[in-house]
PDB file of all heavy atoms in Angstrom:
ATOM      1  N   TYR A  50     -90.811   2.974 -37.591  1.00 98.00           N
ATOM      2  CA  TYR A  50     -91.054   2.762 -36.148  1.00 98.00           C
ATOM      3  C   TYR A  50     -91.458   1.284 -35.950  1.00 98.00           C
ATOM      4  O   TYR A  50     -90.953   0.465 -35.042  1.00 98.00           O
ATOM      5  CB  TYR A  50     -92.071   3.686 -35.523  1.00 98.00           C
ATOM      6  CG  TYR A  50     -92.262   3.577 -34.045  1.00 98.00           C
ATOM      7  CD1 TYR A  50     -91.558   4.700 -33.150  1.00 98.00           C
ATOM      8  CD2 TYR A  50     -92.836   2.638 -33.333  1.00 98.00           C
ATOM      9  CE1 TYR A  50     -91.608   4.599 -31.780  1.00 98.00           C
ATOM     10  CE2 TYR A  50     -92.948   2.561 -31.917  1.00 98.00           C
ATOM     11  CZ  TYR A  50     -92.368   3.534 -31.269  1.00 98.00           C
ATOM     12  OH  TYR A  50     -92.504   3.522 -29.873  1.00 98.00           O
ATOM     13  N   LEU A  51     -92.431   0.861 -36.817  1.00 98.00           N
ATOM     14  CA  LEU A  51     -92.963  -0.497 -36.760  1.00 98.00           C
ATOM     15  C   LEU A  51     -91.785  -1.579 -36.936  1.00 98.00           C
ATOM     16  O   LEU A  51     -91.717  -2.514 -36.215  1.00 98.00           O
ATOM     17  CB  LEU A  51     -94.030  -0.612 -37.918  1.00 98.00           C
ATOM     18  CG  LEU A  51     -94.504  -2.122 -38.195  1.00 98.00           C
ATOM     19  CD1 LEU A  51     -95.484  -2.532 -36.948  1.00 98.00           C
ATOM     20  CD2 LEU A  51     -95.289  -2.115 -39.499  1.00 98.00           C
ATOM     21  N   LEU A  52     -90.964  -1.285 -37.825  1.00 98.00           N
ATOM     22  CA  LEU A  52     -89.829  -2.258 -37.992  1.00 98.00           C
ATOM     23  C   LEU A  52     -88.838  -2.207 -36.976  1.00 98.00           C
ATOM     24  O   LEU A  52     -88.414  -3.237 -36.509  1.00 98.00           O
ATOM     25  CB  LEU A  52     -89.058  -1.852 -39.383  1.00 98.00           C
ATOM     26  CG  LEU A  52     -90.008  -2.188 -40.650  1.00 98.00           C
ATOM     27  CD1 LEU A  52     -89.300  -1.548 -41.927  1.00 98.00           C
ATOM     28  CD2 LEU A  52     -90.055  -3.701 -40.864  1.00 98.00           C
ATOM     29  N   LEU A  53     -88.542  -1.008 -36.528  1.00 98.00           N
ATOM     30  CA  LEU A  53     -87.505  -0.955 -35.439  1.00 98.00           C
ATOM     31  C   LEU A  53     -88.092  -1.389 -34.017  1.00 98.00           C
ATOM     32  O   LEU A  53     -87.284  -2.121 -33.370  1.00 98.00           O
ATOM     33  CB  LEU A  53     -86.975   0.565 -35.175  1.00 98.00           C
ATOM     34  CG  LEU A  53     -86.298   1.110 -36.461  1.00 98.00           C
ATOM     35  CD1 LEU A  53     -85.883   2.581 -36.127  1.00 98.00           C
ATOM     36  CD2 LEU A  53     -85.050   0.322 -36.676  1.00 98.00           C
ATOM     37  N   TYR A  54     -89.186  -1.043 -33.608  1.00 98.00           N
ATOM     38  CA  TYR A  54     -89.761  -1.463 -32.258  1.00 98.00           C
ATOM     39  C   TYR A  54     -90.598  -2.469 -32.223  1.00 98.00           C
ATOM     40  O   TYR A  54     -90.906  -3.092 -31.230  1.00 98.00           O
ATOM     41  CB  TYR A  54     -90.286  -0.056 -31.738  1.00 98.00           C
ATOM     42  CG  TYR A  54     -89.328   0.975 -31.552  1.00 98.00           C
ATOM     43  CD1 TYR A  54     -89.208   2.012 -32.458  1.00 98.00           C
ATOM     44  CD2 TYR A  54     -88.548   1.135 -30.378  1.00 98.00           C
ATOM     45  CE1 TYR A  54     -88.358   3.072 -32.317  1.00 98.00           C
ATOM     46  CE2 TYR A  54     -87.669   2.164 -30.199  1.00 98.00           C
ATOM     47  CZ  TYR A  54     -87.629   3.017 -31.190  1.00 98.00           C
ATOM     48  OH  TYR A  54     -86.650   4.062 -31.023  1.00 98.00           O
ATOM     49  N   GLY A  55     -91.323  -2.853 -33.440  1.00 98.00           N
ATOM     50  CA  GLY A  55     -92.176  -4.072 -33.428  1.00 98.00           C
ATOM     51  C   GLY A  55     -93.635  -3.725 -33.422  1.00 98.00           C
ATOM     52  O   GLY A  55     -94.435  -4.668 -33.669  1.00 98.00           O
ATOM     53  N   TRP A  56     -93.935  -2.553 -33.198  1.00 98.00           N
ATOM     54  CA  TRP A  56     -95.434  -2.133 -33.177  1.00 98.00           C
ATOM     55  C   TRP A  56     -95.624  -0.746 -33.889  1.00 98.00           C
ATOM     56  O   TRP A  56     -94.670  -0.027 -33.946  1.00 98.00           O
ATOM     57  CB  TRP A  56     -95.978  -2.348 -31.763  1.00 98.00           C
ATOM     58  CG  TRP A  56     -95.378  -1.178 -30.883  1.00 98.00           C
ATOM     59  CD1 TRP A  56     -95.829   0.102 -30.677  1.00 98.00           C
ATOM     60  CD2 TRP A  56     -94.246  -1.343 -29.954  1.00 98.00           C
ATOM     61  NE1 TRP A  56     -94.930   0.792 -29.652  1.00 98.00           N
ATOM     62  CE2 TRP A  56     -93.988  -0.103 -29.352  1.00 98.00           C
ATOM     63  CE3 TRP A  56     -93.418  -2.434 -29.659  1.00 98.00           C
ATOM     64  CZ2 TRP A  56     -92.854   0.092 -28.514  1.00 98.00           C
ATOM     65  CZ3 TRP A  56     -92.291  -2.212 -28.972  1.00 98.00           C
ATOM     66  CH2 TRP A  56     -92.097  -1.019 -28.139  1.00 98.00           C
ATOM     67  N   LEU A  57     -96.895  -0.539 -34.242  1.00 98.00           N
ATOM     68  CA  LEU A  57     -97.171   0.771 -34.843  1.00 98.00           C
ATOM     69  C   LEU A  57     -97.230   1.767 -33.774  1.00 98.00           C
ATOM     70  O   LEU A  57     -97.885   1.584 -32.520  1.00 98.00           O
ATOM     71  CB  LEU A  57     -98.645   0.802 -35.464  1.00 98.00           C
ATOM     72  CG  LEU A  57     -98.632   0.131 -36.916  1.00 98.00           C
ATOM     73  CD1 LEU A  57    -100.054   0.095 -37.453  1.00 98.00           C
ATOM     74  CD2 LEU A  57     -97.816   0.930 -37.947  1.00 98.00           C
ATOM     75  N   PRO A  58     -96.619   2.925 -33.909  1.00 98.00           N
ATOM     76  CA  PRO A  58     -96.495   3.898 -32.664  1.00 98.00           C
ATOM     77  C   PRO A  58     -97.778   4.505 -32.382  1.00 98.00           C
ATOM     78  O   PRO A  58     -98.776   4.817 -33.349  1.00 98.00           O
ATOM     79  CB  PRO A  58     -95.600   4.953 -33.295  1.00 98.00           C
ATOM     80  CG  PRO A  58     -95.661   5.021 -34.779  1.00 98.00           C
ATOM     81  CD  PRO A  58     -95.949   3.561 -35.067  1.00 98.00           C
TER      82      PRO A  58
END
Side-chain angles (χ1 to χ4, degrees):
Y50 192 102
L51 171 71
L52 288 168
L53 294 178
Y54 295 93
W56 64 88
L57 283 173

